[in-house]
Amino acid sequence: MKFLNKLIRDEAGATAIEYGLIAALIAVAAITAMSAVGDEVGDTFTTVDTTLQDAQDNPGVGAD
């Protein structure tokens, strides 16, 4: 009976689970943020690539 009472009152496992849930939440938030930033960076590189390709295909156009 003492063992069951001690087991019920032991909060060490609950604390570890709470830390695990917090870490998982932070990981999900970080992945979401990095995904959004990655999409923006990809769009920027695509724009730069298109601009450079246009400049290579039409040299002297737009140069003053």
Side-chain angles (χ1 to χ4, degrees), residues 3-62:
F3 174 75
L4 289 177
N5 285 334
K6 185 179 177 183
L7 185 62
I8 290 171
R9 292 191 179 132
D10 185 15
E11 295 181 6
T15 303
I17 291 171
E18 290 168 357
Y19 283 130
L21 290 173
I22 291 169
L25 181 63
I26 291 171
V28 168
I31 290 169
T32 302
M34 288 179 205
S35 176
V37 170
D39 290 342
E40 291 295 323
V41 170
D43 291 344
T44 301
F45 279 119
T46 301
T47 301
V48 170
D49 181 54
T50 302
T51 304
L52 289 174
Q53 288 296 326
D54 290 345
Q56 185 178 10
D57 293 342
N58 302 308
V61 174

